[in-house]
Amino acid sequence: MTALIVAAKRTPVVRAGKQYAHLGAEQLSALVIDALLDQLASPVPVEHVFWGNAAGPGGNIARVSALASRLGTSVPATSMDAQCASSLEAIAAGCRLVATGEARAVIAGGVESVSTAPWRMTKPATPMEQPVVYSRARFTPRPMPDPDMGVAAENIAQRYGITREAQDEFALRSHQRAVGSAASGCFDSELVPVAGVGGMVERDSCPRPQLTLQKLAALRPAFVPDGTVTAGNACPINDGAAGVLILHEELAHSLNLTRALEYVAAGHGACDPELLGMAAVPAMQKLRSLLGVAHDWSPHLLEFNEAFAAQVLACFTELGLDPLAANRDGGALALGHPYGASGAILATRLWTQAAQANEGDMAVALMAGAVEPARR
C-alpha cells in the first residue's frame, strides 16, 4: 500500500517573543490543521493526528491541537518528542500508519511556541533546598557529557576543520536565497497567515536582506571564547507550526488528486553526544542502504535543517553532498528553526519545490536524527 502526501502547510516562522508571543502551541497547530483540511474540495475522514513538539508544556499536545482545530472530538492523536526531529518522526509515523492500511487519512506535523513554553525546574530533594531553573532536558544520562548545541557545533567545527569564514559564507548564502525566494513568491502557496501582535503575519520574519559578510564577521563567538560559531551562523530561536495531509493512494485517486509526494522510507542515525548534529550522516547512510543506491547518491531535491552552519557543512563533507544543491530557497539559518516544527517545514518546502519544478525525482528531508525521502 502507498501513502501519499497530498497537501502541506506552515505558518510563517517568527522570532520567539515577537508576533506569536500571545499564541500557544495548540493555537498555532490548529491554524495549520484547519488549513490542511481546506485544501481538499471534498472532506476526508481524518483518522489520526501525529504531532511533534520539543519545548512545550508536555502532555499530549497532539490531542490538544486536534481539539483546538475543526477536527472535533473523535480523532485520536499522538505526540512525538524526538527534539528537533519530532515533526519528521511524526510524518514518518503517519505515513507508516497509512501504508499499512490501518488508516486512510492522517494529519502529521509539529509545532514550537518557545514564547509560551513553561519554565523548567528541578524538584528539591529536601524542604530546605530551592528549585533550580534549567533551560532544557538533558540529552544524555549522567555522568556522560551533555554539551549545549552551540558547544557541540564548536566541537564539530574543530573536529572537521570548518572555518569561521566558511560558516559565515554559508549563512549569508542561506539569507540571500531566502530573501530572493520570498520576493519571487516561492513560499506564498504554503504559508498560513497568522493574526499576530501588531497585525497579520504573512511572511517569515528572520531573513535579512541587508546582511553582508562584513556584518557577519563583526559578530563575536556566541558559545565558546575564541570560537567560530556566532549568532550569525547559527539559527535563531523561533515560533511556528507546519504539517502535511497524508492519504492512502486509493483515497487520493478517488478524489482525483494528481499532485502528491509518495512516502518511500525513513532512515535513522545516532552519534557521539559531544558532536550533536552529526547524526544526519548515519541517517542518510542508512537511507542510501534502504534504497539500494550508491554510497554517494544525492537526491534531486534536498532540504537539510540548518541548525548551525558548521554542523551542516561537516555533514555535507562526510556524505559527499554539494552544499549548493541543498536548500534552494534558503534554510533555517535564515528562515528559522522552531524545533518541533522544523522537520515538517522541510517536508512542506519539498512539497512546494516539487510542484514548482514539476519534477518526478526523489526528494529528501534531512536533519540530525531522521531522514525521510519521497518522490513526486
Side-chain angles (χ1 to χ4, degrees):
M1 299 182 183
T2 302
L4 300 178
I5 296 174
V6 300
K9 287 289 184 177
R10 68 179 180 91
T11 68
V13 177
V14 306
R15 292 187 183 274
K18 300 295 184 179
Q19 293 105 312
Y20 300 165
H22 63 305
L23 296 173
E26 73 281 359
Q27 294 170 288
L28 292 172
S29 300
L31 291 171
V32 172
I33 293 171
D34 287 344
L36 290 170
L37 295 175
D38 290 338
Q39 291 306 292
L40 301 181
S42 302
V44 297
V46 175
E47 297 172 66
H48 207 104
V49 172
F50 289 95
W51 213 249
N53 184 246
N60 192 353
I61 188 63
R63 174 64 172 166
V64 177
S65 297
L67 289 171
S69 75
R70 300 201 313 266
L71 285 175
T73 60
S74 63
V75 180
T78 302
S79 296
M80 313 286 284
D81 183 358
Q83 296 297 292
C84 298
S86 296
S87 57
L88 202 56
E89 291 285 8
I91 293 174
C95 288
R96 293 187 191 109
L97 197 71
V98 171
T100 60
E102 295 179 41
R104 289 166 56 83
V106 169
I107 285 178
V111 63
E112 208 63 71
S113 175
V114 178
S115 295
T116 63
W119 292 346
R120 303 183 182 206
M121 292 184 287
T122 60
K123 184 176 181 178
T126 69
M128 299 302 294
E129 293 179 3
Q130 296 295 317
V132 176
V133 176
Y134 62 96
S135 61
R136 63 168 176 83
R138 287 183 62 90
F139 296 142
T140 65
R142 292 181 174 85
M144 289 182 66
D146 183 43
D148 286 333
M149 286 296 298
V151 175
E154 287 285 9
N155 294 342
I156 291 170
Q158 184 174 7
R159 172 75 65 88
Y160 292 93
I162 309 298
T163 66
R164 166 72 181 271
E165 291 73 20
Q167 294 174 56
D168 286 350
E169 289 172 1
F170 184 84
L172 178 61
R173 183 166 62 245
S174 184
H175 279 270
Q176 290 173 335
R177 287 183 171 185
V179 169
S181 293
S184 61
C186 290
F187 305 129
D188 292 355
S189 64
E190 69 193 37
L191 290 173
V192 179
V194 179
V197 175
M200 293 299 296
V201 181
E202 298 179 329
R203 289 179 174 267
D204 303 301
S205 69
C206 292
R208 298 172 59 188
Q210 306 304 320
L211 189 64
T212 65
L213 281 177
Q214 291 73 24
K215 291 180 180 178
L216 286 168
L219 296 173
R220 296 180 179 179
F223 303 99
V224 175
D226 300 322
T228 61
V229 180
T230 71
N233 57 45
C235 66
I237 300 174
N238 301 102
D239 297 335
V244 301
L245 175 61
I246 307 162
L247 300 185
H248 188 279
E249 183 177 23
E250 292 179 356
L251 178 57
H253 289 167
S254 72
L255 296 171
N256 296 316
L257 300 177
T258 58
R259 173 184 167 191
L261 288 175
E262 175 189 347
Y263 173 77
V264 179
H268 296 78
C271 66
D272 182 344
E274 293 200 78
L275 298 173
L276 285 169
M278 294 304 293
V281 173
M284 185 66 167
Q285 291 169 337
K286 175 66 173 179
L287 175 65
R288 286 167 170 168
S289 176
L290 290 171
L291 297 179
V293 297
H295 73 280
D296 59 350
W297 170 81
S298 178
H300 186 72
L301 294 175
L302 174 62
E303 283 292 305
F304 194 165
N305 188 57
E306 297 172 353
F308 298 89
Q311 168 238 343
V312 179
L313 289 170
C315 288
F316 279 147
T317 298
E318 288 293 287
L319 291 169
L321 296 171
D322 180 4
L324 295 176
N327 303 345
R328 58 175 63 182
D329 298 311
L333 290 172
L335 294 169
H337 176 22
Y339 316 123
S342 288
I345 290 174
L346 299 184
T348 301
R349 296 270 52 256
L350 291 172
W351 162 261
T352 301
Q353 290 169 5
Q356 291 171 344
N358 196 29
E359 292 158 343
D361 209 339
M362 197 74 76
V364 170
L366 177 62
M367 64 194 314
V371 54
E372 180 176 325
R375 59 182 169 221
R376 185 178 182 278

